[in-house]
Amino acid sequence: MGQRPRTVGIPTMRDVATMAGVSTMTVSRVLRDEPRVAAEVRTRVLDAVQRLGYRRNENARGLRLGNKTGLIGLIVTNLANPFYAQLALGIEATAAEHDLHVVLGNTGENATRERELVEKLAGRQVDGLIVVPAGYEHSHLSADSLHDVPVVLAARPPIGIAADCVLVDDFTGAHAATAQLVANGHRRIAFLGNPPSVYTGVERYHGFCVALDQAGIPLDERYVRRAQQDIQAAERAALDVLCLDNPPTALFCTNNRNTIGAVRAIKRLDTPTAIAAFDDFELADVLDVPLTIVSYDAAELGRQALKLLLDRMTRRDDLPRRAVIPTSLITHGDLTCGRGAALPGLGDRSLGG
């Protein structure tokens, strides 16, 4: 019978062999469940494994055998946004069906941080990457840069590289939501959106502008705010436009962070301002604010991204593919313009259309 080894840090196969009084080859055979091991020896080895808390390094073992690691890297831009939680859940659910595990990283919309995460995950031999890219420079996501680690982009398309991607129908959703505000009598509609460097913000701004143009409503730059990335900044931006002379009667918001900030501003000022916005969020249906949501299935976006990645892992020479997740409108409350008379403290500045 062996003796308990003096281990420091993570126990090794050699530590197990020492405790069980066998060779490391015998430990390996037991862990591979080979039948040519005596029952008594097998018991000793498994007892040592349990007492030491030993776990095989499946990553290193797989690489030695030329196998996959079973790891998928997921890189997102803002973990505080519920959209990314749903995206990750969709990826996780599909990954589990294929005995894969997801490693998550957050960039905070920082392109340098994204490059670092991509390099580290690729260096750890992940089987593939799903990336929500920050910025417009994607050369580090090319096949050559990644040494042929497959990659799929989510929510934002590839720029200057050939890669699969899954997108939301951003333009159509923004156009439909803005058109609905117009149909309800609104002519002064403000825009609260992501910075122009964010693809989704650009597409949603485009949809907003086209809907106004088709309705014969000129774009008023005083009503446009495109720098908000969190709720606090969105609330300040909404307060800013709502306190203008001749303020907007409605707001279009490009994501749930901007929407929640806008709701807070409307509540503070107690205005009858309507909102149309991308991204559903909890309790949207119980808010005492007229609200149209551009809804879509963020988890399905994740599922589609992983399916494309699985296909890319087995069919490397296919042309890049693109999937688009459709949107729909959900309305809570009365969006009709002219429900109130004036903003508190702003005299006779009418809110009418």
Side-chain angles (χ1 to χ4, degrees):
M1 187 73 173
Q3 58 183 355
R4 184 177 184 87
R6 298 177 183 175
T7 60
V8 178
I10 299 173
T12 66
M13 188 180 292
R14 186 179 298 277
D15 296 328
V16 174
T18 299
M19 177 174 282
V22 298
S23 69
T24 55
M25 181 61 71
T26 298
V27 174
S28 179
R29 287 171 177 163
V30 171
L31 295 178
R32 292 200 303 268
D33 201 24
E34 292 187 5
R36 296 178 299 167
V37 180
E40 183 269 337
V41 173
R42 184 183 302 275
T43 299
R44 293 208 320 263
V45 170
L46 293 177
D47 179 65
V49 166
Q50 183 175 6
R51 290 170 63 189
L52 289 172
Y54 170 75
R55 288 184 173 84
R56 282 191 299 180
N57 186 337
E58 294 291 353
N59 191 8
R61 178 175 178 271
L63 293 175
R64 287 195 303 270
L65 298 175
N67 297 332
K68 301 294 185 181
T69 63
L71 299 176
I72 299 298
L74 169 60
I75 299 175
V76 301
T77 60
N78 183 5
L79 281 176
N81 191 329
F83 163 77
Y84 292 111
Q86 291 300 312
L87 172 74
L89 287 173
I91 292 171
E92 281 272 10
T94 306
E97 296 172 1
H98 297 272
D99 196 27
L100 297 170
H101 302 279
V102 179
V103 181
L104 177 63
N106 181 59
T107 67
E109 292 285 2
N110 185 305
T112 300
R113 174 61 176 160
E114 178 187 306
R115 286 176 174 271
E116 293 172 351
L117 285 171
V118 167
E119 182 178 346
K120 288 180 180 178
L121 289 173
R124 291 179 184 272
Q125 304 294 321
V126 293
D127 295 342
L129 285 168
I130 297 174
V131 181
V132 180
Y136 288 97
E137 213 294 304
H138 297 168
S139 61
H140 58 293
L141 298 173
S142 68
D144 289 342
S145 296
L146 290 174
H147 303 291
D148 292 324
V149 175
V151 63
V152 170
L153 273 57
R156 304 172 187 181
I159 298 174
I161 63 170
D164 301 318
C165 66
V166 184
L167 308 174
V168 174
D169 195 351
D170 297 297
F171 173 88
T172 300
H175 182 277
T178 306
Q180 179 164 308
L181 289 175
V182 172
N184 279 276
H186 295 279
R187 294 296 180 271
R188 298 195 305 277
I189 306 172
F191 180 91
L192 301 183
N194 313 86
S197 60
V198 178
Y199 167 82
T200 51
V202 171
E203 284 295 292
R204 294 168 190 182
Y205 183 61
H206 186 204
F208 168 81
C209 291
V210 170
L212 291 184
D213 183 66
Q214 290 176 342
I217 301 173
L219 177 69
D220 191 334
E221 293 289 349
R222 296 179 306 150
Y223 298 154
V224 176
R225 300 291 185 277
R226 301 181 68 186
Q228 308 78 240
Q229 298 195 64
D230 57 44
I231 293 172
Q232 292 73 26
E235 182 178 1
R236 291 193 297 270
L239 287 170
D240 190 30
V241 297
L242 290 173
C243 289
L244 290 170
D245 291 335
N246 205 25
T249 61
L251 307 174
F252 175 75
C253 305
T254 61
N255 62 15
N256 50 36
R257 307 289 88 186
N258 276 284
T259 305
I260 295 171
V263 169
R264 288 182 177 179
I266 288 169
K267 291 292 188 180
R268 283 181 61 179
L269 296 174
D270 192 24
T271 78
T273 312
I275 295 177
F278 251 88
D279 302 338
D280 210 345
F281 58 94
E282 290 184 358
L283 303 180
D285 57 329
V286 299
L287 292 173
D288 187 23
V289 172
L291 181 64
T292 285
I293 294 292
V294 182
S295 182
Y296 57 92
D297 191 341
E300 178 62 18
L301 192 152
R303 289 189 288 269
Q304 290 295 328
L306 188 57
K307 288 177 182 177
L308 282 179
L309 185 61
L310 291 171
D311 286 344
R312 180 59 58 192
M313 287 160 59
T314 57
R315 297 188 296 179
R316 300 295 182 92
D317 57 349
D318 285 356
L319 293 175
R321 287 170 293 170
R322 174 176 295 196
V324 179
I325 304 299
T327 61
S328 60
L329 298 184
I330 301 173
T331 299
H332 306 294
D334 182 8
L335 295 175
T336 305
C337 184
R339 292 180 313 282
L343 282 168
L346 297 181
D348 61 353
R349 296 172 190 169
S350 173
L351 283 177

